[in-house]
Amino acid sequence: MQPQLPSSQVDQLGFLVPDLAAGVQQWTAALNVTDWRVYTYSSDITGTTFSYRGQPGEFAMRLALANTVPQIELIQPMVGPSIYHDWIDQHGYGFHHVGFFVPSIADTIDEYRRSRLEPAQTGAGYGVDGDGGFAYYEMEDNLGTVVEFIEVPTNRRPSELL
């Protein structure tokens, strides 16, 4: 049995897109939101650690975060393997996950491990100060989607140009 989700409030809705710039343009038109922060995450960023299905992860993605509630996240997978590539192979592009902000990604992973649940994909250390992390759990069987837990870094790197 899985632990309860940390909140009844969904903090993020994640969508996979084939082209980040086109995705931002489409969502900007749909929501009338122009405030997007853009980041590229990869295992090449000094201090980051990624895992994919229990092994060191070598994936990369480019993402855009909208200033909305809940936050809209658009992800363009770049290098795999990753759960993004797996999802696209099985379901195509579009809605991928619900996200919940947590105070500590390590504590959340430990809590789920006590229930014998392992994350499908993780990342840590992408904030300026080496904090920040995420863990994805495939919960299609009971919730119908992927759930992401997110430790928001105290200080993010500056947003990239789209």
Side-chain angles (χ1 to χ4, degrees):
M1 184 167 163
Q2 79 181 32
Q4 273 196 313
L5 296 173
S7 168
S8 61
Q9 175 182 320
V10 172
D11 295 303
Q12 183 184 85
L13 299 173
F15 297 84
L16 299 176
V17 296
D19 178 272
L20 192 63
V24 166
Q25 185 177 30
Q26 290 168 330
W27 278 91
T28 294
L31 297 174
N32 196 28
V33 170
T34 58
D35 184 15
W36 293 86
R37 292 170 288 147
V38 177
Y39 303 98
T40 301
Y41 291 148
S42 75
S43 56
D44 296 336
I45 298 172
T46 303
T48 60
T49 57
F50 287 167
S51 74
Y52 169 71
R53 305 206 180 280
Q55 301 298 317
E58 297 295 326
F59 55 88
M61 71 279 209
R62 193 145 191 251
L63 60 89
L65 302 171
N67 188 23
T68 58
V69 177
Q71 180 181 70
I72 299 295
E73 177 182 40
L74 305 179
I75 302 170
Q76 177 184 340
M78 294 166 50
V79 175
S82 72
I83 64 164
Y84 314 124
H85 293 89
D86 297 345
W87 185 272
I88 292 163
D89 289 346
Q90 294 176 6
H91 306 282
Y93 291 97
F95 180 72
H96 177 253
H97 69 268
V98 295
F100 297 90
F101 298 152
V102 297
S104 167
I105 198 62
D107 290 348
T108 302
I109 291 171
D110 287 345
E111 179 183 350
Y112 272 71
R113 280 193 174 132
R114 285 192 292 278
S115 296
R116 299 185 180 184
L117 294 171
E118 289 293 327
Q121 182 168 293
T122 66
Y126 53 84
V128 170
D129 303 316
D131 61 347
F134 60 84
Y136 288 99
Y137 288 84
E138 295 169 313
M139 297 187 180
E140 289 178 83
D141 290 345
N142 55 344
L143 297 180
T145 192
V146 173
V147 172
E148 180 186 20
F149 299 111
I150 307 148
E151 177 188 326
V152 178
T154 305
N155 297 302
R156 285 193 182 270
R157 293 181 288 126
S159 177
E160 301 166 10
L161 296 176
L162 188 60

